[in-house]
Structure formats: structure tokens, C-alpha cells
Amino acid sequence: MLAGQRVAVFGLGYVGLPLIRSCLNAGFAVIGFDVDKGRVKSLRSGFSYVDDVSDIEIQEWLKGGFYPTSEVADLLDIDVFIICVPTPLTKAGGPDLSSVEASTKVIESCLTGIRESGKKPLVILESTTYPGTTEEVVRPILETNGLLVSEDFHLAFSPERIDPGNQRWTFENTPKVVGGLTKECGDAAEEFYAQVTKTIVRVKGLKEAEMAKLLENTYRHVNIALINEMAKISHELGIDIWDVIRAAETKPFGFQAFRPSAGVGGHCIPIDPNYLSHRVKTELGLPFRFIELAQEVNSSMPSYVVVRLRDLLNLNGLSVNGAQILVVGVTYKPNIADTRDSPAIGVIRNLLKSGANVFFLDPLIPEFKVDGQAIPSSQSPNAPTKYDAAVILQAHETFSYKGMSPLSDCWLDASSAKSLSTGPEYSRI
């Protein structure tokens, strides 16, 4: 695979755009494909909607070989197809592969047209899913009209490892796991990625690469649940869990610190482990108890935050019902303008059901809705100048407790930040 050849990236989101950056830097011409015409229009106009990619970068990309499109007809003479589309959960809790399947069908139509040229394009799935997806779902679609893997195209899986907002670990310096359906497929994928990232980690095959991603996020899911449950128990026992963590993390081996929070959110932890749990249940008929318990604990945290907030209000002779409450930081992680599956949704939903008047404060999010209901901003004309209570869910770097403290005399910090402040009016979960 030589720089200067053409790469098509399917899915122009938080995974696809950083990948495109690396491909362009390596000298590839890149077609960005997305069915969301609004995204395509924004990119063509030089505007980014992803935190980790600036408008200036997009404008430079457009000058340097990047072409965003929603038209299949623009996918001509492609050497590498990479699928980075979302894989959410269905209402039944299983993986929704509709975007992967739709992208694969488009690629199949392109491969049929390329076949006569004698090229052997490389197809890579990066979207997170259950072990077996690439071979059992993607491969049959690609072979629908008689094309054969290894003869007409190569097929590989390489899990995305993008951490939005992380400036230290980028696409280029994060080791890239690669697995192919055959040795030749793996070789082709390794050769390609070696030009866009520094370290390649080759695994035996597709399923090993698919499982590696699920192991990474299940590990985090389970350990976050562990510390969240320990936080609940420690509070009941009168133990400061934060002091416990501070002591435990001084051990130079055998321990990694996780910190309590209002729950998990975003594109990975609340979703990815469920792919594995679903696969184990449907294929083996067995429960994956660690994942199910972790999901149960982490899903309970928004309700627990409201319970703690209610207790603090009670100490001040107030009820949640009718209270003016400020929710600070509504994104799913600090310093990122992304609210997907944010714990703030569950916290605010529970507060509203309890009769509270809820306002939010987040410099990264101009508007926020819960179950279709617009939550007023602390900047709105009818917002109180002082709240009965305030709860911090995400501690953005721009936040200063000292600067926010006049907003309330009762604060609950439910973020995973090490510390914003201490004081008689300031509590932690």
C-alpha cells in the first residue's frame, strides 16, 4: 500500500476524522463518506463538529486531498475502505449493526466495479462490535455477487482507540491492534496502518482483534462499578473513600486508581461490554455476570446522586420538591462537548420526577434536553442568582469551585475529578 493511493473512510465522527487526519498526513487522498448530509455540508464549508479537530484543520484538509461526500458515485478507484460508523444498542439491548451493514453494501457495490481493474482493495472494520461480526456479517455481504476474500479483496478488523479530548494519546501514537481473516489480509492491513501510526500490534485473527476492544472497555466498566459500589458502602460506614483511594494509589504495583462518579456515559463504556454479554448469551446461552453487575451498579449512580443531594437538602431543612437545583457539567466526560448517554440525563430525569426546578451550567453545551424537555441554562433570564443546591457532574478545566461557590451554599461533587475544593458546604459522593 503506497502513499498517494485513495482511502475511503465511512463515518465522519469522532473516530473517522482523526483517522482522516493521519491518512492525509501520510500522503493518501481521502474520500470521507457519511449519510448525514449535514455533516458533509459542514465539512465542505470548512467547519468541524468534533472537539479534537479544528475548523482550520478541515480547511487545510480540503486543500490537501480530502473530499467529504454522501454520494456513492464519488467512491471511485478506492484502494482502502475503512468503516468507522456507530454501533449503538437496539431497544432489546443487542448490537445495532444497521450502519455497518449499510456501509458494507455500499463497499460491495464499489468492489464489483473495481474488480475489472485487477486491484485487490483492503476493507477494514473499525467500529466496535461483538467477536465474529467481521467474518459473519461483513464478509457475506462483500461476497454477495461472487467476489472472494483474499482473491478479490482483503478483509481485516482494527478496533478504534480514540479517546476524545486526550492530547497525549492520539491516533498516531496509540498502538494499533490489527487482525486479518487470513495472513495475507492481516499483512495488507498492517502495511497500511504502518504508514499512518507508529506501533502495530498484530493478533492471530479477526475475533482476537474484536475481543481486544471489548476487553479494554469491559475492564474499565467493571472497575468503575467496583469503585462506585465501594463509594456507596464507604459513605454508609462513615469512611472517606477519596482518602482511601489516595492512600491505595501510593502502592507502586498491583493497583490502578479508579474514582467514583455519577455513572458512565459516552460511546464506549455504557455500550461496548453489552455486545460481549449479548454474544455470550445468544451463542452460549450463558450470562456474563461481571458485565451485568457492572451495568447494574453504574446505571444506579444517577439515582444515588439524587439521594445524596436529597439528604444534603434535608440537613438544611429543604425538600427536593420545589428546590432550585443547579447541575454543573452535563457532558459525558470533562472538556468534551459530547452529551451521549451522559449521567446528567439520569440525574436530571430523577430530579424532575422529584419535583425539583433544574437548571444547568456548562460552557461547552449551549442547549440541553432530557426526554425532549429543554433544561433552562443558568444564563437564562429566569434563572435564580442563588440555588438551594448545586451538583457537579463533570469538572471541566474551565470550572473553578471558588468562582462558582456564590451560586449555592450546598454543593455535591459527583465528578471523578480528584478535588475541586473542601469546606463545610462542599460534599463528595
Side-chain angles (χ1 to χ4, degrees):
M1 194 63 56
L2 301 175
Q5 294 185 312
R6 292 165 62 83
V7 177
V9 175
F10 285 67
L12 305 179
Y14 74 95
V15 175
L17 292 185
L19 170 60
I20 287 168
R21 174 198 287 133
S22 297
C23 289
L24 290 169
N25 289 342
F28 292 99
V30 182
I31 305 293
F33 185 86
D34 202 300
V35 294
D36 186 334
K37 294 185 178 181
R39 282 186 168 187
V40 171
K41 182 179 179 180
S42 177
L43 293 173
R44 284 187 177 181
S45 300
F47 297 111
S48 176
Y49 41 80
V50 171
D51 292 278
D52 293 341
V53 178
S54 68
D55 293 346
I56 293 175
E57 283 185 281
I58 298 295
Q59 292 157 20
E60 290 299 318
W61 294 0
L62 293 170
K63 299 175 185 176
F66 174 51
Y67 184 74
T69 185
S70 295
E71 302 298 326
V72 177
D74 292 327
L75 299 171
L76 300 173
D77 200 29
I78 302 298
D79 299 283
V80 183
F81 296 89
I82 309 176
I83 303 172
C84 305
V85 296
T87 47
L89 296 176
T90 64
K91 291 182 179 180
D96 181 353
L97 299 180
S98 58
S99 294
V100 170
E101 292 170 343
S103 299
T104 306
K105 289 175 183 177
V106 171
I107 294 172
E108 188 277 329
S109 67
C110 296
L111 290 178
T112 302
I114 295 171
R115 185 178 194 177
E116 301 303 321
S117 69
K119 279 189 176 183
K120 190 182 291 186
L122 170 63
V123 181
I124 305 170
L125 177 62
E126 284 205 4
S127 302
T128 306
T129 184
Y130 61 82
T133 300
T134 311
E135 184 169 4
E136 298 167 16
V137 177
V138 174
R139 179 184 180 179
I141 295 174
L142 295 176
E143 294 185 333
T144 299
N145 291 311
L147 297 176
L148 296 175
V149 68
S150 288
E151 290 188 21
D152 300 298
F153 63 93
H154 292 303
L155 182 61
F157 182 85
S158 180
E160 61 89 3
R161 280 177 158 179
I162 299 296
D163 184 17
N166 192 329
Q167 301 301 313
R168 179 184 177 189
W169 294 107
T170 64
F171 183 92
E172 290 83 357
N173 64 6
T174 300
K176 200 81 173 79
V177 175
V178 174
L181 180 64
T182 64
K183 180 182 181 303
E184 292 74 18
C185 291
D187 290 344
E190 182 174 357
E191 182 184 0
F192 166 71
Y193 280 119
Q195 296 177 78
V196 296
T197 191
K198 293 180 179 179
T199 306
I200 307 298
V201 180
R202 185 75 174 268
V203 294
K204 289 184 176 179
L206 296 172
K207 289 184 178 180
E208 286 76 12
E210 292 164 331
M211 184 68 111
K213 172 67 175 182
L214 298 183
L215 174 59
E216 293 167 14
N217 284 338
T218 300
Y219 169 83
R220 293 169 64 199
H221 193 34
V222 169
N223 279 281
I224 291 169
L226 171 64
I227 200 62
N228 279 337
E229 189 156 39
M230 288 195 74
K232 291 182 179 181
I233 293 169
S234 295
H235 178 69
E236 295 300 319
L237 294 174
I239 298 170
D240 185 343
I241 187 64
W242 290 87
D243 202 36
V244 172
I245 297 169
R246 181 184 63 81
E249 67 181 339
T250 62
K251 184 179 180 181
F253 55 89
F255 180 81
Q256 179 181 354
F258 287 80
R259 293 177 171 79
S261 66
V264 294
H267 53 277
C268 289
I269 300 178
I271 297 174
D272 296 358
N274 290 294
Y275 299 149
L276 184 54
S277 178
H278 182 269
R279 182 65 165 176
V280 170
K281 187 175 293 185
T282 55
E283 186 166 311
L284 304 179
L286 299 173
F288 201 137
R289 287 176 289 178
F290 266 110
I291 291 178
E292 292 169 3
L293 287 171
Q295 186 69 31
E296 180 182 333
V297 171
N298 288 332
S299 295
S300 74
M301 292 308 292
S303 297
Y304 176 70
V305 168
V306 174
V307 169
R308 289 289 304 277
L309 199 59
R310 180 201 65 198
D311 292 345
L312 289 174
L313 284 166
N314 287 344
L315 289 175
N316 293 325
L318 298 172
S319 168
V320 174
N321 186 21
Q324 306 282 358
I325 296 180
L326 179 65
V327 175
V328 179
V330 296
T331 61
Y332 84 86
K333 67 179 293 187
N335 310 316
I336 290 295
D338 192 337
T339 60
R340 285 175 297 171
D341 292 301
S342 169
I345 297 170
V347 171
I348 293 175
R349 180 183 292 131
N350 279 279
L351 286 171
L352 292 174
K353 286 181 179 178
S354 299
N357 299 309
V358 183
F359 295 79
F360 84 95
L361 170 61
D362 196 316
L364 302 180
I365 304 298
E367 298 178 352
F368 191 63
K369 291 184 178 181
V370 173
D371 300 329
Q373 178 178 340
I375 307 303
S377 165
S378 61
Q379 304 300 312
S380 61
N382 62 336
T385 56
K386 195 152 190 172
Y387 297 85
D388 296 312
V391 56
I392 304 170
L393 301 184
Q394 295 298 346
H396 300 313
E397 289 178 357
T398 55
F399 284 153
S400 162
Y401 172 74
K402 184 177 180 180
M404 296 187 296
S405 59
L407 293 171
S408 180
D409 293 329
C410 177
W411 285 84
L412 175 65
D413 188 353
S415 75
S416 59
K418 286 187 177 181
S419 178
L420 287 181
S421 180
T422 58
E425 77 288 0
Y426 181 92
S427 302
R428 304 216 65 163
I429 63 166

